[in-house]
Amino acid sequence: MKKVPLSEFPHHLKTALEKAKQELLSPSSLQQIGDDIAEQLRLRARLGNGLGENYTDPAKLKPLSPKYVEQRKKMKDLSEETTPKKSNLTQTGEMLDDIIARINGFKITITFKEQFSKDKARWNSVKGRPFMHISRVQVQRLTNDMQSKLRSNLKKYL
């Protein structure tokens, strides 16, 4: 910590807080947070999980119908990241690969590169396979991570 005269400390602290906040909320920092969330959503879905009630614990996605399992057994473009019986929102992998984070000011939006992927995600949610939500645990981890980064940034400027 730099030595600052007591009379200048309020101004010094205010300046340090502003710099730490700017760094924490920079577009690149927010993009990294969004990219991490998008990757978590992809991974959870590929493991066959969505979220339980009240966005708490991971919950298995609704099983595939026997008729659809038979159709998948015949598919030539079935992703190597799934099996015909596995309900993990990965037939070809395109929809999950299309999940992206967009930054607008201080807002992070998790969406899709292509409208077709967005439509497939909406259809899956309606059919009992919602997956585009973050859990309370993820929110808490994100909050803790942001607080830790703010403390670290603040130490740099004090």
Side-chain angles (χ1 to χ4, degrees), residues 30-116:
L30 293 174
Q31 186 66 54
Q32 182 61 50
I33 292 166
D35 291 345
D36 289 347
I37 292 169
E39 184 57 31
Q40 290 174 30
L41 294 174
R42 273 191 290 277
L43 178 61
R44 187 178 64 210
R46 285 196 171 115
L47 291 172
N49 294 314
L51 284 179
E53 291 184 31
N54 300 324
Y55 306 119
T56 52
D57 300 320
K60 286 288 181 194
L61 293 169
K62 181 179 168 185
L64 302 174
S65 70
K67 184 178 178 181
Y68 187 57
V69 169
E70 289 306 313
Q71 287 176 355
R72 284 173 62 121
K73 286 179 180 177
K74 298 172 187 168
M75 291 179 180
K76 295 184 187 319
D77 63 346
L78 191 65
S79 171
E80 60 189 38
E81 297 186 48
T82 194
T83 65
K85 289 184 179 182
K86 189 171 184 179
S87 178
N88 67 347
L89 303 173
T90 306
Q91 178 179 314
T92 64
E94 289 176 13
M95 180 185 70
L96 294 179
D97 289 342
D98 267 0
I99 297 174
I100 58 169
R102 290 203 172 115
I103 308 306
N104 185 3
F106 298 119
K107 182 178 176 182
I108 301 170
T109 302
I110 308 298
T111 188
F112 295 87
K113 291 180 204 170
E114 302 293 331
Q115 183 63 42
F116 186 61

Side-chain angles (χ1 to χ4, degrees), residues 17-31 33 103-108 146 149-150 153:
L17 279 168
E18 188 58 37
K19 287 179 182 179
K21 181 182 103 176
Q22 285 176 355
E23 191 171 321
L24 183 66
L25 298 177
S26 71
S28 63
S29 180
L30 293 174
Q31 186 66 54
I33 292 166
I103 308 306
N104 185 3
F106 298 119
K107 182 178 176 182
I108 301 170
M146 297 279 289
K149 286 179 181 176
L150 181 60
N153 289 349

Side-chain angles (χ1 to χ4, degrees), residues 1-21 150-151 153-158:
M1 192 184 271
K2 300 173 189 172
K3 289 187 180 188
V4 177
L6 189 57
S7 62
E8 293 179 26
F9 187 73
H11 175 71
H12 183 70
L13 179 60
K14 183 178 177 182
T15 302
L17 279 168
E18 188 58 37
K19 287 179 182 179
K21 181 182 103 176
L150 181 60
R151 278 191 296 275
N153 289 349
L154 193 52
K155 285 179 183 178
K156 284 194 291 189
Y157 300 113
L158 283 176

